[in-house]
Amino acid sequence: NSKVIQTPRYLVKGQGQKAKMRCIPEKGHPVVFWYQQNKNNEFKFLINFQNQEVLQQIDMTEKRFSAECPSNSPCSLEIQSSEAGDSALYLCASSLGTYQDTQYFGPGTRLLVL
Amino acid sequence: GEKVEQHESTLSVREGDSAVINCTYTDTASSYFPWYKQEAGKSLHFVIDIRSNVDRKQSQRLIVLLDKKAKRFSLHITATQPEDSAIYFCAASRPSSNTNKVVFGTGTRLQVLP
């Protein structure tokens, strides 16, 4: 069973508000991923890190989304100005490496933007 | 970019029968194919994966087949049980990006009927 911890489980924000969620990867997993799962079960990769370094991120992430994985602190994903279309399940996953390594997912943060 | 398609959005089988979920992918460079299970209101749970150096892998009642020529892979669940009822997601990733970002299908809802 996955030991990835995500908080909070639910987040309700108004449009234009900041939304911040956190993730603690499995112990010993240096690689962390953030995905967005919408109500149609479409997944979108947002960003990933190896230790504190960004490996890859998509354009959407570069604009309103910010993320970090500081040393000895939880990783975080923050939406600077929430939009209705951001309502989704945000999933954090961690893995041992970046080459065909299994990703283990946390329970997710369900964001609702009113 | 890579696209992963799941051909059955829903699948119903009788308890004890086998269930087969089929996926296709577009990127010939993809070499890692994990499967995840998502129960209602829960996160993604890793079930099994296959790498492109083999064409078959079995773990207890789960069998994954990979046909690289056809760019197709499938999950076979034998002797289905009610607790197998869930949404199953297939995914694919390519190693060359060095990020192990996975691309997901949109899921197959499996219902195991008593």
Side-chain angles (χ1 to χ4, degrees), chain A residues 50-68:
Chain A
Q50 182 156 12
N51 297 312
Q52 293 80 54
E53 302 297 320
V54 175
L55 293 176
Q56 188 176 11
Q57 61 184 343
I58 64 166
D59 284 346
M60 179 179 80
T61 313
E62 290 168 7
K63 291 172 182 170
R64 293 185 300 109
F65 289 62
S66 62
E68 60 177 2

Side-chain angles (χ1 to χ4, degrees), chain B residues 96-113:
Chain B
S96 58
S97 67
N98 199 36
T99 68
N100 205 30
K101 171 186 75 173
V102 295
V103 177
F104 288 90
T106 51
T108 297
R109 184 180 297 275
L110 173 65
Q111 187 177 20
V112 178
L113 304 169

Side-chain angles (χ1 to χ4, degrees), chain A:
Chain A
N1 285 333
S2 173
K3 299 176 181 61
V4 176
I5 299 171
Q6 285 189 254
T7 57
R9 293 293 307 275
Y10 302 93
L11 201 49
V12 181
K13 295 290 178 182
Q15 294 196 49
Q17 290 187 318
K18 286 186 183 180
K20 189 169 186 175
M21 52 204 84
R22 292 176 176 81
C23 170
I24 300 175
E26 278 202 35
K27 193 173 181 180
H29 284 192
V31 186
V32 173
F33 302 78
W34 287 99
Y35 294 89
Q36 179 196 64
Q37 182 185 12
N38 69 18
K39 61 180 181 181
N40 296 321
N41 285 333
E42 295 163 331
F43 289 81
K44 184 177 289 183
F45 166 83
L46 298 176
I47 191 168
N48 65 344
F49 294 83
Q50 182 156 12
N51 297 312
Q52 293 80 54
E53 302 297 320
V54 175
L55 293 176
Q56 188 176 11
Q57 61 184 343
I58 64 166
D59 284 346
M60 179 179 80
T61 313
E62 290 168 7
K63 291 172 182 170
R64 293 185 300 109
F65 289 62
S66 62
E68 60 177 2
C69 273
S71 177
N72 299 319
S73 292
C75 297
S76 64
L77 175 69
E78 185 170 32
I79 307 172
Q80 301 302 320
S81 177
S82 301
E83 298 176 356
D86 297 330
S87 295
L89 182 66
Y90 289 83
L91 292 163
C92 176
S94 70
S95 68
L96 280 170
T98 59
Y99 185 78
Q100 297 184 345
D101 290 276
T102 303
Q103 295 177 29
Y104 296 94
F105 285 80
T109 293
R110 188 167 295 282
L111 172 64
L112 175 61
V113 181
L114 301 173

